[in-house]
Amino acid sequence: MIMSIKLVAIDLDGTLLNDNKQLTEENIAAINAASKMGVNIVLCTGRPITGIQRYLAQLELQNEREYAITYNGGLAQTINGEILIKHTLSFQDYLAAEAFSRQVGVHFHVDGKNHIYTANKNISQYTVGESFLVEMGLRYRSVEEMNPDLEMPKVMFIDDPKVLSKARDQIFNRFQDEFSVVQSEPYFIELMPKNVSKGNAVKELAERLHLSLDQVMAIGDQGNDLSMIKTAGIGVAMENGIDEVKENAQFITANNNESGVAKAIRKFVINK
């Protein structure tokens, strides 16, 4: 017996949003239709909650309680701010990662609760772009000036793709046994507490909602989406996704500029 989908976990950048970082009317319509059917629509992103509020405001989600998974699974919360799941790094984790970034010659920053912090005097253009994208303030703080009690859901090695690709293997080899390490964009490698992933957060949230994983569909395009693609009963890859995501998905939908999310929702949720 094939169970009906009750939760749809959707990545944001490269998946729900087109290349102009906008929601298409087709995606909005499909999401709203599914929500009216009682399906939980869960945005799953590496961004903090501040970086998705504008999109939540455009959606007319109908369920009494709506959820979002942020920081690649480091945080799961209601869209009203109630924290359900929280995993953070220690200050010693920050010190080790920051020192290693200098060793391999890659820019680095940390996501705090309200600001992005970097100890790079020559701040990376990608850090500036990330600050704008997620609508969080940017602060320069030397390592000595950093607050040891700062909540840090994740830290990021962030640089030009050519620079980052040269250091990629060294970063993964150094940290992958102790932490969760994912490359979410050609210019981002993200470091989070061990076992933090979108897949684990989706699983925990489904359990809280008393849903089986067969009732979950996940849609994504990049390496940080792979865990939820594998976890969900139906994993959907975007046509613009990386090969590894496509290889592990049950279905490949249209690309992010052609409302691939809407097409998947109509196929597996609305018209089923």
Side-chain angles (χ1 to χ4, degrees):
M1 176 181 174
I2 299 176
M3 302 189 76
S4 61
I5 298 298
K6 296 296 184 184
L7 188 155
V8 182
I10 311 172
D11 171 54
L12 207 62
D13 298 289
T15 299
L16 182 59
L17 304 182
N18 62 21
D19 287 347
N20 294 321
K21 302 297 183 184
Q22 295 174 336
L23 289 166
T24 66
E25 291 300 323
E26 190 176 348
N27 279 345
I28 291 172
I31 284 173
N32 289 345
S35 182
K36 287 175 183 175
M37 294 169 61
V39 176
N40 276 108
I41 302 295
V42 181
L43 300 190
C44 299
T45 178
R47 300 185 186 200
I49 193 72
T50 56
I52 66 174
Q53 293 286 17
R54 67 167 67 183
Y55 304 112
L56 290 169
Q58 294 177 55
L59 299 171
E60 298 174 7
L61 302 178
Q62 301 292 313
N63 287 295
E64 183 179 344
R65 286 169 67 82
E66 297 291 349
Y67 307 90
I69 290 171
T70 54
Y71 295 116
N72 284 321
L75 208 63
Q77 61 195 96
T78 68
I79 61 175
N80 293 322
E82 179 190 348
I83 304 298
L84 305 177
I85 301 165
K86 181 170 74 171
H87 304 283
T88 56
L89 295 165
S90 72
F91 188 64
Q92 291 304 312
D93 297 334
Y94 160 77
L95 292 175
E98 201 282 334
F100 194 76
S101 74
R102 295 180 184 275
Q103 183 179 326
V104 296
V106 171
H107 283 87
F108 180 87
H109 73 234
V110 53
D111 279 12
K113 186 175 182 181
N114 299 308
H115 297 93
I116 292 173
Y117 297 90
T118 181
N120 302 134
K121 286 186 177 179
N122 296 322
I123 299 175
S124 167
Q125 62 177 320
Y126 296 97
T127 289
V128 175
E130 177 73 354
S131 172
F132 176 79
L133 185 72
V134 304
E135 301 182 35
M136 287 178 71
L138 176 58
R139 298 286 185 268
Y140 166 75
R141 294 288 186 274
S142 69
V143 173
E144 293 75 22
E145 293 172 326
M146 282 291 286
N147 177 4
D149 297 322
L150 182 70
E151 279 193 3
M152 292 180 282
K154 68 175 183 179
V155 298
M156 300 176 70
F157 298 88
I158 177 169
D159 220 311
D160 182 275
K162 291 180 181 178
V163 174
L164 196 60
S165 65
K166 290 180 181 178
R168 183 186 188 280
D169 288 348
Q170 294 178 73
I171 294 169
F172 273 78
N173 290 340
R174 168 64 179 83
F175 293 108
Q176 64 187 352
D177 290 340
E178 303 171 65
F179 301 93
S180 178
V181 188
V182 294
Q183 183 158 10
S184 53
E185 296 285 355
Y187 41 84
F188 290 160
I189 294 177
E190 308 188 28
L191 189 77
M192 298 159 294
K194 189 70 174 174
N195 298 322
V196 164
S197 68
K198 289 186 179 182
N200 283 344
V202 166
K203 183 178 179 181
E204 286 185 67
L205 183 56
E207 289 173 353
R208 283 176 174 266
L209 298 176
H210 306 293
L211 300 176
S212 72
L213 292 176
D214 289 339
Q215 294 173 290
V216 175
M217 178 169 76
I219 313 173
D221 71 309
Q222 288 294 322
N224 61 329
D225 302 317
L226 186 60
S227 61
M228 70 175 185
I229 296 292
K230 290 180 174 181
T231 295
I234 298 175
V236 177
M238 303 298 291
E239 191 276 330
N240 55 287
I242 63 172
D243 289 343
E244 192 174 8
V245 170
K246 293 179 181 177
E247 290 162 4
N248 284 276
Q250 284 80 46
F251 180 72
I252 299 175
T253 190
N255 68 46
N256 63 314
N257 292 315
E258 296 175 344
S259 302
V261 167
K263 292 174 173 60
I265 289 175
R266 287 200 300 269
K267 178 177 176 65
F268 292 105
V269 180
I270 297 172
N271 298 329
K272 190 165 179 62

